[in-house]
Amino acid sequence: MIEIKTPSTPLVTNTEYRAGVYPVHKELIGAVTQVLTYKSILQSEYSNILVENIRSGRNIDFDVINPNCVVIAGRFDTLEEVKQKHSFELYRKEFKNVIVITYDELFMRIRNLIDLLEK
């Protein structure tokens, strides 16, 4: 499951919640919630399809086992304050089932992979 926002999507707010603590922006919170909703719907619908196929005697040829969720949003290099970066990292590192990656990080990974493949 992938939720794709724009590179200009804000990651954290510009105002501190408390000294050195920047809240995650509502756009990012919404994107994470949206991708988790996609996952929930997929798992729910899979159960319905599975039950219907069992009832009708048909065999189902796919499975849904805790699908990965990814949010691509914003740019890490737009975070101006060290504390903004720290707040963003604290937020995204706590997820067990959602990967939050920024566009500049994604492009760097792709560039590294291309460099590796060209060697």
Side-chain angles (χ1 to χ4, degrees):
M1 312 270 73
I2 300 176
E3 175 71 7
I4 301 173
K5 304 300 284 179
T6 68
S8 62
T9 300
L11 302 173
V12 297
T13 64
N14 290 325
T15 56
E16 291 177 301
Y17 171 71
R18 298 240 167 97
V21 176
Y22 288 85
V24 175
H25 196 277
K26 67 180 183 176
E27 289 291 322
L28 183 56
I29 293 170
V32 169
T33 304
Q34 185 64 54
V35 78
L36 290 171
T37 300
Y38 294 153
K39 177 181 176 178
S40 174
I41 291 169
L42 174 65
Q43 290 173 316
S44 173
E45 290 301 315
Y46 175 77
S47 297
N48 293 337
I49 293 168
L50 185 61
V51 167
E52 283 301 316
N53 281 318
I54 290 171
R55 285 184 186 154
S56 65
R58 288 178 279 168
N59 198 4
I60 191 164
D61 63 346
F62 72 97
D63 200 357
V64 176
I65 302 173
N66 197 22
N68 291 326
C69 295
V70 177
V71 173
I72 303 170
R75 293 179 52 105
F76 190 80
D77 62 7
T78 62
L79 299 175
E80 297 171 7
E81 304 257 345
V82 171
K83 295 292 185 180
Q84 284 181 319
K85 293 176 182 179
H86 182 73
S87 293
F88 173 68
E89 289 291 358
L90 286 174
Y91 177 75
R92 77 168 165 179
K93 295 296 182 183
E94 284 302 311
F95 287 115
K96 181 174 108 177
N97 295 314
V98 179
I99 297 167
V100 177
I101 188 166
T102 62
Y103 277 87
D104 49 331
E105 294 167 328
L106 180 61
F107 291 147
M108 183 179 65
R109 287 184 184 189
I110 292 169
R111 188 177 319 120
N112 290 342
L113 180 59
I114 290 170
D115 290 345
L116 179 67
L117 293 172
E118 286 178 342
K119 290 181 181 183

